[in-house]
Amino acid sequence: MARIAAGMDFGQAVVQQARVQPVDPGPGIAAVAGSVERIGAQQAAEGQQLQRQQDLEAKQAAREAQQAREQADRGAAIAKATAMRDTVNDELERIGQEVQDGRLPKTDAPKAWQDRTTKILADNIEGVPEAHRGAVQADLQALTGRLTSKVGDI
């Protein structure tokens, strides 16, 4: 007769746990985490660099726009000042012609000159950009002061 094998499991076949070497997943995960962290830091640095570059470009564009506005204002001020100078010179000639024609007494010429040049300045100064208004006004007043002596010579 057959014999039953003696043992712990009384001859029954039981699945035994496989013998494997234990693996610690910690170092692998740490390596992947370190790589991801480095990639993130690199991308953050690239983003900051890009932001700095964009900020510099925006500041440069703002400076160029400001310079263009200032240049346009200077051009407008020069054009307006030139036009006012021409108007003052024309007014001097007009007063001289009126005195010669007898329409304006010679004694009233200085008063007419003062009134008319004041009106020319008041009527035309509004078109001058604010930043240049003082310089244009001073220039025109200096011109009228120089031309006042010519009114006395009429």
Side-chain angles (χ1 to χ4, degrees):
M1 245 197 353
R3 243 175 135 196
I4 297 176
M8 291 177 55
D9 297 325
F10 302 105
Q12 301 292 324
V14 178
V15 177
Q16 294 291 321
Q17 186 176 12
R19 296 191 191 264
V20 292
Q21 187 171 1
V23 176
D24 183 12
I29 292 173
V32 171
S35 294
V36 169
E37 185 179 345
R38 282 190 303 277
I39 291 170
Q42 183 181 13
Q43 294 212 342
E46 289 173 2
Q48 289 171 348
Q49 177 64 27
L50 180 61
Q51 184 64 46
R52 282 192 296 273
Q53 182 66 29
Q54 289 173 344
D55 290 347
L56 287 173
E57 289 172 0
K59 286 178 184 178
Q60 180 64 26
R63 269 194 304 273
E64 289 172 359
Q66 179 64 26
Q67 289 172 346
R69 280 192 299 276
E70 289 172 359
Q71 189 172 9
D73 283 352
R74 274 192 303 275
I78 290 170
K80 196 65 171 175
T82 302
M84 290 187 338
R85 286 172 142 271
D86 291 345
T87 303
V88 166
N89 284 321
D90 292 345
E91 196 58 42
L92 178 63
E93 291 177 16
R94 193 173 298 117
I95 288 174
Q97 190 62 44
E98 288 177 9
V99 168
Q100 284 181 353
D101 294 345
R103 291 181 284 151
L104 180 66
K106 189 173 183 174
T107 56
D108 292 344
K111 174 76 171 124
W113 169 253
Q114 185 65 35
D115 293 344
R116 292 179 191 181
T117 56
T118 301
K119 183 175 179 353
I120 289 168
L121 179 61
D123 290 348
N124 293 293
I125 198 70
E126 288 301 318
V128 177
E130 190 68 37
H132 301 282
R133 202 170 275 187
V136 170
Q137 190 170 9
D139 179 60
L140 192 62
Q141 288 173 342
L143 176 64
T144 57
R146 287 190 304 272
L147 294 178
T148 298
S149 65
K150 291 187 176 188
V151 172
D153 295 342
I154 296 178

